[in-house]
Amino acid sequence: MSESITFPDGFLWGAATSSYQIEGAVREDGRTPSIWDTFSHTPGRTAGGDTGDIAVDHYHRYRDDVALMADLGLASYRFSVSWSRVQPTGRGPAVQRGLDFYRRLVDELLGRGIKPFVTLYHWDLPQELEDAGGWPERETAYRFAEYAAMVGEALGDRVENWITLNEPWCSAFLGYGSGVHAPGRTEPLAALRAAHHLNLGHGLATSALRAVLPPRASVAVSLNSAVVRPLSQDPADLDAARRIDNLACGIFHGPMLHGAYPQGLFADTARITDWGFVQDGDLAAAHQPLNALGLNYYTPSLVSAAENAPTGLRADGHGESEHSPWPGSEDVAFHQTPGERTEMGWSIDPNGLHELITRYSRETGGLPLYVTENGAAYPDKPDADGRVHDPERIAYLHGHLAAVRRAIADGADVRGYYLWSLMDNFEWAYGYEKRFGAVYVDYATQERTPKSSALWYGQAARTGTLPAVDAVLGDASQ
């Protein structure tokens, strides 16, 4: 019998979602369109023409969803606030009806003993700000700080844990580089400008939050920094890995954690820009002390120089586009990593999560860390009895949680883990085709059914110990 894997007392077992993916109610209580409303309603942008207009109707069903979290034994819930629900045009006063939804949600969570973890920005920029130029424009960073203060003032008496941005890499490089995410632009210079202004916006929002939150509050950011591995030890492949690591990781953690962009980034992108949009004081503004760091992880990247990739394919796992999300490094080749894959085509490698955690434990000097997203998509379907068994997801979670525990044993201060996702939802450009949830959602009826993985994860959350992968946990329809 294998030795049981037990987590430290106080470890937070949670699940995560984001506003546009679950809330629906896109035209209620003063909410105006975000870039994802516009993008999803543009023909050809999403699978099947799917939109988040209804999603999983969390806006109206949040009480039932919180009850479901409590039944599963979750200790924490990470959700994001819809900017255009709170400040519809991205300017001016807050709309109290929008804030009231999040007040009710937080109260419901606290009433069930579930710690709220608030993310201020999960990609849904108000469309009016995009019409004014979006994240490539400096003004957006100042608007974001203003919005952060509004939400902080409204919820800061009850919410201790805050995240400014979720995965700014996706916002900058999938939104403005490859165009597979909203707003769907394919402009390498705009992508680099957006990255800088996201850094600036993070720093300004951190300062704005600290001005309105109680001293006990924790402010963090969630990065999807990549685990980048060279195909070989050939110097050209090693340089390809360095270039991608700078664009995937250093371009954000450099300013946020160290107050500087990584060495070589400016030279690698010199044919695109001279970085003249970086103004005096910007890096100091971006470099605000953090209380914690969130890490999102799904799969590693394997890269080489172009001459070492005869197929010339870019298998980077970030959607199909003729335009690269890697400005200045479009010639770097991405390779399929070996091993089993999820339905997204992403290889399953728990060791990559251990590698990421231990890297950022060193990078931050031991700052508290949270795994703020980790999970897998599989083609889940109810059986004849209405149960949803997903043993592949259980194996995925067991492997990655075991990697987290190894990182803790190696000295990393990991405070919690947030499964992506609580329930099936609108999966961005993939529409409703990909199911990441631990809870199955019948999109026609909005009925929720905990999958086997939800019951497995709930037992881990209640006991602090990982059940066996093949543990029999009862009826997944209950």
Side-chain angles (χ1 to χ4, degrees):
M1 179 180 293
S2 60
E3 185 177 350
S4 63
I5 299 173
T6 299
F7 283 72
D9 292 342
F11 186 84
L12 281 180
W13 298 83
T17 63
S18 85
S19 53
Y20 188 71
Q21 293 181 273
I22 66 167
E23 285 181 3
V26 296
R27 298 174 187 88
E28 293 188 33
D29 294 333
R31 185 188 180 278
T32 58
S34 74
I35 55 175
W36 269 99
D37 293 280
T38 303
F39 186 85
S40 66
H41 279 270
T42 302
R45 290 296 201 177
T46 64
D50 291 340
T51 75
D53 287 1
I54 299 173
V56 296
D57 197 30
H58 177 71
Y59 192 77
H60 300 114
R61 300 170 184 265
Y62 71 92
R63 289 188 178 89
D64 292 340
D65 291 338
V66 173
L68 182 56
M69 296 177 219
D71 290 345
L72 292 174
L74 301 187
S76 185
Y77 175 49
R78 176 181 171 235
F79 64 93
S80 76
V81 174
S82 166
W83 188 345
S84 60
R85 195 180 293 287
V86 167
Q87 192 190 32
T89 65
R91 300 176 185 275
V95 172
Q96 293 304 315
R97 289 173 297 169
L99 285 172
D100 284 345
F101 168 70
Y102 298 106
R103 292 184 176 108
R104 294 192 300 270
L105 174 59
V106 167
D107 288 345
E108 195 74 19
L109 290 166
L110 293 175
R112 294 279 191 163
I114 299 171
K115 184 184 291 290
F117 216 120
V118 172
T119 300
L120 289 169
Y121 186 73
H122 199 129
W123 309 349
D124 46 356
L125 186 72
Q127 182 60 45
E128 289 200 23
L129 289 183
E130 175 58 29
D131 292 343
W135 282 109
E137 296 303 316
R138 185 179 186 84
E139 182 67 13
T140 305
Y142 292 96
R143 299 283 64 78
F144 179 59
E146 179 184 76
Y147 153 71
M150 290 177 177
V151 182
E153 288 175 339
L155 303 179
D157 60 333
R158 286 159 289 178
V159 175
E160 293 185 11
N161 292 285
W162 296 81
I163 291 170
T164 55
L165 304 171
N166 178 76
E167 297 186 355
W169 185 87
C170 294
S171 297
F173 296 111
L174 300 184
Y176 295 95
S178 67
V180 299
H181 277 192
R185 290 163 59 180
T186 54
E187 307 162 33
L189 173 56
L192 293 170
R193 288 175 61 94
H196 177 67
H197 295 136
L198 284 155
N199 285 326
L200 178 61
H202 156 76
L204 296 174
T206 299
S207 297
L209 284 172
R210 291 233 165 85
V212 299
L213 295 177
R216 70 179 186 280
S218 170
V219 180
V221 64
S222 284
L223 302 179
N224 60 320
S225 293
V227 175
V228 184
R229 297 166 178 162
L231 182 66
S232 75
Q233 294 302 300
D234 183 309
D237 289 354
L238 293 173
D239 188 62
R242 176 198 62 78
R243 289 160 62 190
I244 296 303
D245 187 81
N246 275 350
L247 282 171
C249 308
I251 196 170
F252 294 108
H253 80 226
M256 292 179 182
L257 300 179
H258 308 302
Y261 282 107
Q263 185 175 7
L265 176 65
F266 291 175
D268 294 340
T269 56
R271 66 175 177 79
I272 299 170
T273 179
D274 63 1
W275 290 77
F277 48 82
V278 179
Q279 297 186 12
D280 290 346
D282 282 3
L283 292 173
H287 181 213
Q288 296 302 311
L290 294 174
N291 302 103
L293 178 67
L295 297 173
N296 297 356
Y297 172 82
Y298 293 94
T299 190
S301 296
L302 184 64
V303 304
S304 75
E307 58 265 29
N308 293 336
T311 63
L313 297 176
R314 191 183 74 242
D316 63 5
H318 293 298
E320 295 182 8
S321 173
E322 296 178 359
H323 303 273
S324 173
W326 307 103
S329 293
E330 296 88 348
D331 58 333
V332 170
F334 285 77
H335 300 259
Q336 289 280 7
T337 51
E340 296 182 21
R341 303 187 188 286
T342 69
E343 198 188 14
M344 295 292 289
W346 298 343
S347 66
I348 301 169
D349 187 349
N351 289 329
L353 180 54
H354 177 273
E355 185 178 333
L356 187 72
I357 292 171
T358 53
R359 173 186 181 173
Y360 277 93
S361 180
R362 296 189 302 270
E363 195 81 42
T364 64
L367 195 70
L369 303 175
Y370 292 88
V371 178
T372 41
E373 283 186 29
N374 177 238
Y378 290 104
D380 309 308
K381 294 180 180 178
D383 64 17
D385 297 320
R387 297 172 298 185
V388 184
H389 291 300
D390 55 342
E392 300 93 346
R393 185 173 287 104
I394 292 174
Y396 181 100
L397 294 176
H398 188 283
H400 286 78
L401 281 161
V404 173
R405 188 62 184 90
R406 290 200 308 275
I408 293 172
D410 290 340
D413 184 9
V414 186
R415 302 284 180 91
Y417 175 96
Y418 290 80
L419 166 67
W420 186 270
S421 175
L422 173 67
M423 53 190 162
D424 297 333
N425 54 45
F426 176 80
E427 187 51 40
W428 307 115
Y430 295 98
Y432 296 98
E433 289 186 352
K434 306 298 184 186
R435 292 181 178 270
F436 276 87
V439 175
Y440 181 88
V441 179
D442 182 324
Y443 296 122
T445 66
Q446 295 294 350
E447 182 180 358
R448 277 82 155 132
T449 302
K451 303 173 188 178
S452 297
S453 62
L455 304 180
W456 183 93
Y457 186 67
Q459 182 171 321
R462 287 188 295 272
T463 64
T465 299
L466 301 187
V469 173
D470 58 354
V472 178
L473 298 172
D475 189 342
S477 67
Q478 301 298 314

PDB file of all heavy atoms in Angstrom, residues 348-372:
ATOM      1  N   ILE A 348       0.161  15.708 -19.901  1.00  0.00           N
ATOM      2  CA  ILE A 348      -0.032  15.655 -18.452  1.00  0.00           C
ATOM      3  C   ILE A 348       1.327  15.453 -17.802  1.00  0.00           C
ATOM      4  O   ILE A 348       1.958  14.412 -17.966  1.00  0.00           O
ATOM      5  CB  ILE A 348      -0.999  14.520 -18.080  1.00  0.00           C
ATOM      6  CG1 ILE A 348      -2.351  14.729 -18.771  1.00  0.00           C
ATOM      7  CG2 ILE A 348      -1.169  14.437 -16.567  1.00  0.00           C
ATOM      8  CD1 ILE A 348      -3.280  13.531 -18.687  1.00  0.00           C
ATOM      9  N   ASP A 349       1.777  16.452 -17.061  1.00  0.00           N
ATOM     10  CA  ASP A 349       3.114  16.397 -16.460  1.00  0.00           C
ATOM     11  C   ASP A 349       3.104  17.072 -15.095  1.00  0.00           C
ATOM     12  O   ASP A 349       3.395  18.267 -14.972  1.00  0.00           O
ATOM     13  CB  ASP A 349       4.126  17.078 -17.380  1.00  0.00           C
ATOM     14  CG  ASP A 349       5.557  16.913 -16.902  1.00  0.00           C
ATOM     15  OD1 ASP A 349       5.768  16.464 -15.754  1.00  0.00           O
ATOM     16  OD2 ASP A 349       6.482  17.235 -17.659  1.00  0.00           O
ATOM     17  N   PRO A 350       2.760  16.334 -14.035  1.00  0.00           N
ATOM     18  CA  PRO A 350       2.762  16.933 -12.697  1.00  0.00           C
ATOM     19  C   PRO A 350       4.120  17.467 -12.272  1.00  0.00           C
ATOM     20  O   PRO A 350       4.191  18.414 -11.479  1.00  0.00           O
ATOM     21  CB  PRO A 350       2.318  15.779 -11.790  1.00  0.00           C
ATOM     22  CG  PRO A 350       1.558  14.859 -12.688  1.00  0.00           C
ATOM     23  CD  PRO A 350       2.255  14.962 -14.016  1.00  0.00           C
ATOM     24  N   ASN A 351       5.192  16.883 -12.792  1.00  0.00           N
ATOM     25  CA  ASN A 351       6.522  17.374 -12.432  1.00  0.00           C
ATOM     26  C   ASN A 351       6.701  18.835 -12.834  1.00  0.00           C
ATOM     27  O   ASN A 351       7.445  19.576 -12.196  1.00  0.00           O
ATOM     28  CB  ASN A 351       7.616  16.523 -13.086  1.00  0.00           C
ATOM     29  CG  ASN A 351       7.708  15.147 -12.477  1.00  0.00           C
ATOM     30  OD1 ASN A 351       7.424  14.970 -11.286  1.00  0.00           O
ATOM     31  ND2 ASN A 351       8.073  14.156 -13.271  1.00  0.00           N
ATOM     32  N   GLY A 352       6.001  19.253 -13.899  1.00  0.00           N
ATOM     33  CA  GLY A 352       6.079  20.651 -14.298  1.00  0.00           C
ATOM     34  C   GLY A 352       5.527  21.576 -13.231  1.00  0.00           C
ATOM     35  O   GLY A 352       6.052  22.682 -13.034  1.00  0.00           O
ATOM     36  N   LEU A 353       4.477  21.161 -12.533  1.00  0.00           N
ATOM     37  CA  LEU A 353       3.925  21.990 -11.460  1.00  0.00           C
ATOM     38  C   LEU A 353       4.907  22.084 -10.302  1.00  0.00           C
ATOM     39  O   LEU A 353       5.100  23.176  -9.739  1.00  0.00           O
ATOM     40  CB  LEU A 353       2.588  21.421 -10.986  1.00  0.00           C
ATOM     41  CG  LEU A 353       1.894  22.177  -9.859  1.00  0.00           C
ATOM     42  CD1 LEU A 353       1.704  23.651 -10.187  1.00  0.00           C
ATOM     43  CD2 LEU A 353       0.555  21.522  -9.522  1.00  0.00           C
ATOM     44  N   HIS A 354       5.540  20.986  -9.958  1.00  0.00           N
ATOM     45  CA  HIS A 354       6.572  21.020  -8.910  1.00  0.00           C
ATOM     46  C   HIS A 354       7.695  21.964  -9.317  1.00  0.00           C
ATOM     47  O   HIS A 354       8.171  22.783  -8.514  1.00  0.00           O
ATOM     48  CB  HIS A 354       7.109  19.606  -8.675  1.00  0.00           C
ATOM     49  CG  HIS A 354       8.222  19.538  -7.668  1.00  0.00           C
ATOM     50  ND1 HIS A 354       9.542  19.719  -8.013  1.00  0.00           N
ATOM     51  CD2 HIS A 354       8.198  19.340  -6.326  1.00  0.00           C
ATOM     52  CE1 HIS A 354      10.290  19.614  -6.937  1.00  0.00           C
ATOM     53  NE2 HIS A 354       9.507  19.381  -5.895  1.00  0.00           N
ATOM     54  N   GLU A 355       8.114  21.879 -10.568  1.00  0.00           N
ATOM     55  CA  GLU A 355       9.188  22.740 -11.075  1.00  0.00           C
ATOM     56  C   GLU A 355       8.794  24.213 -11.002  1.00  0.00           C
ATOM     57  O   GLU A 355       9.591  25.073 -10.607  1.00  0.00           O
ATOM     58  CB  GLU A 355       9.501  22.334 -12.514  1.00  0.00           C
ATOM     59  CG  GLU A 355      10.672  23.040 -13.152  1.00  0.00           C
ATOM     60  CD  GLU A 355      10.946  22.534 -14.556  1.00  0.00           C
ATOM     61  OE1 GLU A 355      10.623  21.363 -14.849  1.00  0.00           O
ATOM     62  OE2 GLU A 355      11.467  23.317 -15.372  1.00  0.00           O
ATOM     63  N   LEU A 356       7.549  24.507 -11.384  1.00  0.00           N
ATOM     64  CA  LEU A 356       7.075  25.895 -11.359  1.00  0.00           C
ATOM     65  C   LEU A 356       7.041  26.442  -9.942  1.00  0.00           C
ATOM     66  O   LEU A 356       7.493  27.562  -9.676  1.00  0.00           O
ATOM     67  CB  LEU A 356       5.679  25.959 -11.988  1.00  0.00           C
ATOM     68  CG  LEU A 356       5.102  27.361 -12.203  1.00  0.00           C
ATOM     69  CD1 LEU A 356       5.828  28.067 -13.340  1.00  0.00           C
ATOM     70  CD2 LEU A 356       3.606  27.275 -12.505  1.00  0.00           C
ATOM     71  N   ILE A 357       6.503  25.666  -9.026  1.00  0.00           N
ATOM     72  CA  ILE A 357       6.393  26.123  -7.632  1.00  0.00           C
ATOM     73  C   ILE A 357       7.772  26.371  -7.038  1.00  0.00           C
ATOM     74  O   ILE A 357       8.015  27.408  -6.396  1.00  0.00           O
ATOM     75  CB  ILE A 357       5.617  25.100  -6.795  1.00  0.00           C
ATOM     76  CG1 ILE A 357       4.146  25.052  -7.223  1.00  0.00           C
ATOM     77  CG2 ILE A 357       5.718  25.435  -5.301  1.00  0.00           C
ATOM     78  CD1 ILE A 357       3.362  23.911  -6.602  1.00  0.00           C
ATOM     79  N   THR A 358       8.678  25.444  -7.230  1.00  0.00           N
ATOM     80  CA  THR A 358      10.002  25.607  -6.609  1.00  0.00           C
ATOM     81  C   THR A 358      10.764  26.766  -7.263  1.00  0.00           C
ATOM     82  O   THR A 358      11.513  27.479  -6.578  1.00  0.00           O
ATOM     83  CB  THR A 358      10.810  24.307  -6.700  1.00  0.00           C
ATOM     84  OG1 THR A 358      10.848  23.841  -8.052  1.00  0.00           O
ATOM     85  CG2 THR A 358      10.178  23.227  -5.837  1.00  0.00           C
ATOM     86  N   ARG A 359      10.556  26.980  -8.556  1.00  0.00           N
ATOM     87  CA  ARG A 359      11.184  28.140  -9.199  1.00  0.00           C
ATOM     88  C   ARG A 359      10.698  29.437  -8.552  1.00  0.00           C
ATOM     89  O   ARG A 359      11.498  30.318  -8.231  1.00  0.00           O
ATOM     90  CB  ARG A 359      10.866  28.169 -10.687  1.00  0.00           C
ATOM     91  CG  ARG A 359      11.362  29.456 -11.350  1.00  0.00           C
ATOM     92  CD  ARG A 359      10.947  29.587 -12.805  1.00  0.00           C
ATOM     93  NE  ARG A 359      11.469  30.818 -13.382  1.00  0.00           N
ATOM     94  CZ  ARG A 359      11.377  31.148 -14.668  1.00  0.00           C
ATOM     95  NH1 ARG A 359      10.762  30.332 -15.515  1.00  0.00           N
ATOM     96  NH2 ARG A 359      11.881  32.280 -15.115  1.00  0.00           N
ATOM     97  N   TYR A 360       9.380  29.566  -8.372  1.00  0.00           N
ATOM     98  CA  TYR A 360       8.858  30.831  -7.848  1.00  0.00           C
ATOM     99  C   TYR A 360       9.030  30.956  -6.347  1.00  0.00           C
ATOM    100  O   TYR A 360       9.023  32.066  -5.820  1.00  0.00           O
ATOM    101  CB  TYR A 360       7.412  31.033  -8.296  1.00  0.00           C
ATOM    102  CG  TYR A 360       7.400  31.613  -9.692  1.00  0.00           C
ATOM    103  CD1 TYR A 360       7.326  30.780 -10.808  1.00  0.00           C
ATOM    104  CD2 TYR A 360       7.552  32.973  -9.900  1.00  0.00           C
ATOM    105  CE1 TYR A 360       7.372  31.306 -12.090  1.00  0.00           C
ATOM    106  CE2 TYR A 360       7.603  33.501 -11.174  1.00  0.00           C
ATOM    107  CZ  TYR A 360       7.514  32.666 -12.266  1.00  0.00           C
ATOM    108  OH  TYR A 360       7.580  33.198 -13.531  1.00  0.00           O
ATOM    109  N   SER A 361       9.245  29.868  -5.667  1.00  0.00           N
ATOM    110  CA  SER A 361       9.646  29.967  -4.271  1.00  0.00           C
ATOM    111  C   SER A 361      11.014  30.643  -4.177  1.00  0.00           C
ATOM    112  O   SER A 361      11.236  31.524  -3.333  1.00  0.00           O
ATOM    113  CB  SER A 361       9.697  28.576  -3.637  1.00  0.00           C
ATOM    114  OG  SER A 361      10.073  28.649  -2.284  1.00  0.00           O
ATOM    115  N   ARG A 362      11.898  30.278  -5.094  1.00  0.00           N
ATOM    116  CA  ARG A 362      13.214  30.936  -5.148  1.00  0.00           C
ATOM    117  C   ARG A 362      13.090  32.363  -5.671  1.00  0.00           C
ATOM    118  O   ARG A 362      13.698  33.292  -5.137  1.00  0.00           O
ATOM    119  CB  ARG A 362      14.172  30.137  -6.034  1.00  0.00           C
ATOM    120  CG  ARG A 362      14.509  28.744  -5.542  1.00  0.00           C
ATOM    121  CD  ARG A 362      15.630  28.115  -6.360  1.00  0.00           C
ATOM    122  NE  ARG A 362      15.300  28.029  -7.783  1.00  0.00           N
ATOM    123  CZ  ARG A 362      14.695  26.987  -8.345  1.00  0.00           C
ATOM    124  NH1 ARG A 362      14.351  25.950  -7.611  1.00  0.00           N
ATOM    125  NH2 ARG A 362      14.444  26.972  -9.645  1.00  0.00           N
ATOM    126  N   GLU A 363      12.313  32.548  -6.739  1.00  0.00           N
ATOM    127  CA  GLU A 363      12.183  33.843  -7.404  1.00  0.00           C
ATOM    128  C   GLU A 363      11.655  34.916  -6.457  1.00  0.00           C
ATOM    129  O   GLU A 363      12.008  36.093  -6.560  1.00  0.00           O
ATOM    130  CB  GLU A 363      11.233  33.698  -8.596  1.00  0.00           C
ATOM    131  CG  GLU A 363      11.255  34.838  -9.584  1.00  0.00           C
ATOM    132  CD  GLU A 363      12.407  34.742 -10.570  1.00  0.00           C
ATOM    133  OE1 GLU A 363      12.705  33.645 -11.073  1.00  0.00           O
ATOM    134  OE2 GLU A 363      13.014  35.799 -10.831  1.00  0.00           O
ATOM    135  N   THR A 364      10.789  34.515  -5.536  1.00  0.00           N
ATOM    136  CA  THR A 364      10.145  35.470  -4.628  1.00  0.00           C
ATOM    137  C   THR A 364      10.791  35.533  -3.258  1.00  0.00           C
ATOM    138  O   THR A 364      10.337  36.300  -2.394  1.00  0.00           O
ATOM    139  CB  THR A 364       8.657  35.111  -4.439  1.00  0.00           C
ATOM    140  OG1 THR A 364       8.566  33.831  -3.797  1.00  0.00           O
ATOM    141  CG2 THR A 364       7.922  35.095  -5.767  1.00  0.00           C
ATOM    142  N   GLY A 365      11.805  34.724  -3.019  1.00  0.00           N
ATOM    143  CA  GLY A 365      12.412  34.710  -1.693  1.00  0.00           C
ATOM    144  C   GLY A 365      11.510  34.094  -0.640  1.00  0.00           C
ATOM    145  O   GLY A 365      11.546  34.480   0.537  1.00  0.00           O
ATOM    146  N   GLY A 366      10.690  33.116  -1.057  1.00  0.00           N
ATOM    147  CA  GLY A 366       9.855  32.406  -0.088  1.00  0.00           C
ATOM    148  C   GLY A 366       8.496  33.007   0.147  1.00  0.00           C
ATOM    149  O   GLY A 366       7.843  32.721   1.156  1.00  0.00           O
ATOM    150  N   LEU A 367       8.014  33.855  -0.759  1.00  0.00           N
ATOM    151  CA  LEU A 367       6.684  34.447  -0.635  1.00  0.00           C
ATOM    152  C   LEU A 367       5.628  33.337  -0.591  1.00  0.00           C
ATOM    153  O   LEU A 367       5.770  32.317  -1.260  1.00  0.00           O
ATOM    154  CB  LEU A 367       6.428  35.349  -1.842  1.00  0.00           C
ATOM    155  CG  LEU A 367       5.267  36.334  -1.779  1.00  0.00           C
ATOM    156  CD1 LEU A 367       5.558  37.446  -0.787  1.00  0.00           C
ATOM    157  CD2 LEU A 367       5.027  36.937  -3.179  1.00  0.00           C
ATOM    158  N   PRO A 368       4.549  33.517   0.187  1.00  0.00           N
ATOM    159  CA  PRO A 368       3.459  32.537   0.143  1.00  0.00           C
ATOM    160  C   PRO A 368       2.926  32.367  -1.279  1.00  0.00           C
ATOM    161  O   PRO A 368       2.732  33.343  -2.008  1.00  0.00           O
ATOM    162  CB  PRO A 368       2.398  33.145   1.067  1.00  0.00           C
ATOM    163  CG  PRO A 368       3.174  33.988   2.030  1.00  0.00           C
ATOM    164  CD  PRO A 368       4.309  34.553   1.214  1.00  0.00           C
ATOM    165  N   LEU A 369       2.688  31.132  -1.666  1.00  0.00           N
ATOM    166  CA  LEU A 369       2.222  30.805  -3.004  1.00  0.00           C
ATOM    167  C   LEU A 369       0.868  30.099  -2.937  1.00  0.00           C
ATOM    168  O   LEU A 369       0.575  29.388  -1.975  1.00  0.00           O
ATOM    169  CB  LEU A 369       3.227  29.885  -3.711  1.00  0.00           C
ATOM    170  CG  LEU A 369       4.668  30.385  -3.840  1.00  0.00           C
ATOM    171  CD1 LEU A 369       5.546  29.295  -4.452  1.00  0.00           C
ATOM    172  CD2 LEU A 369       4.738  31.653  -4.685  1.00  0.00           C
ATOM    173  N   TYR A 370       0.056  30.313  -3.960  1.00  0.00           N
ATOM    174  CA  TYR A 370      -1.187  29.573  -4.146  1.00  0.00           C
ATOM    175  C   TYR A 370      -1.198  29.021  -5.561  1.00  0.00           C
ATOM    176  O   TYR A 370      -0.823  29.732  -6.506  1.00  0.00           O
ATOM    177  CB  TYR A 370      -2.410  30.485  -3.968  1.00  0.00           C
ATOM    178  CG  TYR A 370      -2.618  30.993  -2.567  1.00  0.00           C
ATOM    179  CD1 TYR A 370      -2.009  32.172  -2.147  1.00  0.00           C
ATOM    180  CD2 TYR A 370      -3.431  30.300  -1.663  1.00  0.00           C
ATOM    181  CE1 TYR A 370      -2.195  32.657  -0.859  1.00  0.00           C
ATOM    182  CE2 TYR A 370      -3.628  30.775  -0.372  1.00  0.00           C
ATOM    183  CZ  TYR A 370      -3.008  31.956   0.019  1.00  0.00           C
ATOM    184  OH  TYR A 370      -3.203  32.427   1.299  1.00  0.00           O
ATOM    185  N   VAL A 371      -1.614  27.784  -5.712  1.00  0.00           N
ATOM    186  CA  VAL A 371      -1.917  27.278  -7.045  1.00  0.00           C
ATOM    187  C   VAL A 371      -3.340  27.740  -7.333  1.00  0.00           C
ATOM    188  O   VAL A 371      -4.303  27.178  -6.819  1.00  0.00           O
ATOM    189  CB  VAL A 371      -1.798  25.746  -7.120  1.00  0.00           C
ATOM    190  CG1 VAL A 371      -2.183  25.255  -8.520  1.00  0.00           C
ATOM    191  CG2 VAL A 371      -0.380  25.309  -6.778  1.00  0.00           C
ATOM    192  N   THR A 372      -3.476  28.799  -8.129  1.00  0.00           N
ATOM    193  CA  THR A 372      -4.779  29.422  -8.305  1.00  0.00           C
ATOM    194  C   THR A 372      -5.563  28.833  -9.477  1.00  0.00           C
ATOM    195  O   THR A 372      -6.749  29.143  -9.625  1.00  0.00           O
ATOM    196  CB  THR A 372      -4.640  30.952  -8.459  1.00  0.00           C
ATOM    197  OG1 THR A 372      -3.513  31.256  -9.291  1.00  0.00           O
ATOM    198  CG2 THR A 372      -4.436  31.600  -7.112  1.00  0.00           C
TER     199      THR A 372
END
